[in-house]
Amino acid sequence: MIFRGLCRKYFMIILGGMIQGFAMGVFLFPNSVPSGGAGGLTVLFNYWFHIPMGIALWLVNSSMLVIAVQNLGGASAIGTLAGITVTSLAVNFFEVNVYMPHSFVWLELLLGSVTLGVGVALLLRQGVSHGGIGIIALIISKSRRINPGKPLFWINGSIFVVTAYVIDWQIVIQALCCQWISTRIVDWLYNIRIPRKTPSLALDWRKK
């Protein structure tokens, strides 16, 4: 049972990382829209130093693992490392192999925000962070027993202002819209409770 639970946990982590990477690599990063605080720093590093998005994202996220180990425990840190590694690989893969015409930025922003929220929620439900500022948000969420979406929104907002100042002020509007939509999705999915059938119920049904 423990092995099965562990396999399920890491399957969900990998799935969440892939969905998050898809949202970033296909919809958000091509339009220079930061997906969060770590995404904002990733866009800046790419803008300043021309570092590939996937590599820059991994560098930013992995630097936060020390905080994860100290505050969330080793198991959560390992899960976070797995999540950010899958996300970074997915970003590189989708940027190279999936082409979008980018004809309507706001539609892509909506699709990317919803998809991002689904990926982040899957990771947070496994007790791991989606990386970067999400680690801090998860720590605040656990210590104050609140939904992680709210601290995630306000912390990332300050980083968006810097990103917009350097690149384009329109980015801050798009980034805040992305955060508002994605964090609403995160809060909604994070609070969903899926009922599970117990073996005793199954046996009772068979007896009937």
Side-chain angles (χ1 to χ4, degrees):
M1 293 296 293
I2 296 176
F3 178 75
R4 182 183 298 178
L6 194 62
C7 288
R8 180 185 180 280
K9 177 185 179 70
Y10 276 90
F11 172 78
M12 297 304 292
I13 290 174
I14 292 172
L15 179 62
M18 291 181 65
I19 293 174
Q20 182 177 225
F22 175 79
M24 293 176 179
V26 175
F27 297 116
L28 301 178
F29 285 172
N31 292 300
S32 295
V33 177
S35 58
L41 295 176
T42 299
V43 171
L44 287 174
F45 287 160
N46 175 263
Y47 181 81
W48 284 330
F49 308 113
H50 305 290
I51 301 175
M53 290 288 194
I55 296 175
L57 181 66
W58 190 89
L59 291 174
V60 172
N61 284 332
S62 61
S63 66
M64 301 294 291
L65 284 179
V66 175
I67 299 176
V69 171
Q70 292 178 344
N71 295 275
L72 300 178
S76 181
I78 293 173
T80 298
L81 178 61
I84 63 178
T85 300
V86 171
T87 298
S88 300
L89 292 174
V91 168
N92 272 338
F93 175 82
F94 288 120
E95 276 190 326
V96 173
N97 295 285
V98 177
Y99 172 75
M100 293 291 289
H102 304 298
S103 58
F104 189 44
V105 175
W106 289 100
L107 176 59
E108 293 180 17
L109 175 67
L110 175 62
L111 294 174
S113 301
V114 172
T115 308
L116 178 69
V118 173
V120 171
L122 287 176
L123 293 172
L124 292 177
R125 284 178 65 90
Q126 303 310 309
V128 303
S129 167
H130 64 294
I133 304 305
I135 294 174
I136 299 176
L138 190 59
I139 292 170
I140 295 174
S141 171
K142 288 191 172 184
S143 63
R144 298 194 176 186
R145 298 181 180 179
I146 60 176
N147 291 335
K150 292 181 180 179
L152 191 64
F153 177 84
W154 292 108
I155 295 173
N156 287 340
S158 60
I159 298 177
F160 296 157
V161 173
V162 177
T163 307
Y165 176 77
V166 172
I167 301 178
D168 186 350
W169 278 106
Q170 184 178 352
I171 290 176
V172 73
I173 300 174
Q174 295 172 338
L176 288 173
C177 288
C178 173
Q179 278 297 289
W180 188 86
I181 296 170
S182 63
T183 50
R184 298 290 76 74
I185 298 295
V186 168
D187 282 344
W188 176 59
L189 293 178
Y190 187 81
N191 289 310
I192 287 179
R193 294 293 176 262
I194 302 175
R196 297 182 180 179
K197 295 182 179 179
T198 60
S200 59
L201 291 176
L203 290 174
D204 291 340
W205 180 82
R206 289 179 182 179
K207 288 179 181 180
K208 293 178 181 180

